[in-house]
Amino acid sequence: MNENRYTPYDICNQQPTLRFCIPLYQRLFEWDKEQIGRLMLDLHRAYLKNKQEPYYIGMLTAIRGKDGYDLVDGQQRFTVMTLLGIVFGWTKFTVVNGKPRLQFAARDMDEAYLCSKLGLQEKCSDNVNDKMEKGIGYIRDYLDKQDDLKSEAEQKLFGQYIFNNLTFFISMLPSDYTPNDLN
């Protein structure tokens, strides 16, 4: 296996304590029904075509941070992976040592929202991140509208396919980059 190539399964089994952080200079989560729907349709088509083939979601660009990797590029995709993890119950992927695998630098409300969705007590809040909440809804709606995914068993198989085959690469930036370089 390529050392830069990962799936949610790989992260859980090869780097189970690895955490990802969205730095403050990154924009907020913005994917809407169009982007999430397109991803779900593509994943579904790949699943129906060949359940063993990887589905490539692209490259994440990161730099080593204090608690893992700071995502310089790819935070929209990684956030959607986290939302998929919430919908499909991938606890080993979404939670590391009682904390979300996905952190938000200086965005405590977003992190508290994720904690609440993941059932973590530490930072729970009634705050709702509208975009993420809608993203979870779009994923669930897609699953409920597919004739071949109506049963819980079929949805579980589809979720397992995504867990094992949603493939991304991590490109690491040099650690001496300044915040200006990264922005």
Side-chain angles (χ1 to χ4, degrees):
M1 181 171 107
N2 182 325
E3 67 183 51
N4 301 12
R5 180 179 175 214
Y6 298 96
T7 64
Y9 173 88
D10 295 332
I11 293 290
C12 293
N13 291 291
Q14 294 172 13
Q15 298 197 19
T17 60
L18 182 63
R19 296 183 72 203
F20 294 85
C21 183
I22 309 297
L24 181 59
Y25 57 81
Q26 287 288 349
R27 67 187 174 132
L28 300 172
F29 177 68
E30 292 297 326
W31 275 24
D32 59 20
K33 187 174 186 173
E34 180 183 341
Q35 289 93 356
I36 294 172
R38 189 174 336 124
L39 176 62
M40 293 303 295
L41 179 62
D42 285 350
L43 285 165
H44 192 195
R45 286 178 177 162
Y47 170 73
L48 294 173
K49 183 177 177 184
N50 184 338
K51 294 174 179 58
Q52 306 308 313
E53 287 290 316
Y55 176 88
Y56 294 99
I57 195 167
M59 179 78 68
L60 306 179
T61 304
I63 190 165
R64 181 59 81 181
K66 63 180 178 178
D67 290 327
Y69 293 156
D70 287 351
L71 291 172
V72 176
D73 184 49
Q75 71 109 340
Q76 301 293 317
R77 286 168 280 153
F78 199 85
T79 302
V80 167
M81 283 189 259
T82 301
L83 300 181
L84 286 164
I86 290 168
V87 170
F88 288 113
W90 304 338
T91 306
K92 282 180 62 180
F93 179 72
T94 55
V95 177
V96 175
N97 298 326
K99 297 179 181 178
R101 185 177 301 273
L102 180 63
Q103 301 171 275
F104 295 87
R107 292 188 186 148
D108 291 339
M109 300 286 273
D110 290 341
E111 198 160 319
Y113 167 78
L114 272 185
C115 285
S116 296
K117 295 310 277 185
L118 295 168
L120 303 175
Q121 300 303 317
E122 182 182 316
K123 281 184 157 182
C124 280
S125 140
D126 292 336
N127 178 60
V128 174
N129 179 304
D130 191 51
K131 291 277 188 169
M132 288 188 222
E133 187 73 19
K134 285 180 179 176
I136 290 168
Y138 299 146
I139 294 166
R140 287 191 172 128
D141 285 349
Y142 182 88
L143 296 172
D144 292 341
K145 290 180 180 173
Q146 305 310 306
D147 289 336
D148 64 319
L149 297 176
K150 290 258 186 229
S151 76
E152 189 176 314
E154 276 300 321
Q155 288 185 12
K156 186 175 180 176
L157 288 172
F158 181 50
Q160 197 63 39
Y161 163 79
I162 297 170
F163 184 74
N164 291 321
N165 295 288
L166 183 63
T167 304
F168 57 96
F169 297 86
I170 299 177
S171 172
M172 293 300 295
L173 296 174
S175 60
D176 61 348
Y177 272 31
T178 67
N180 236 11
D181 295 329
L182 297 173
N183 198 15

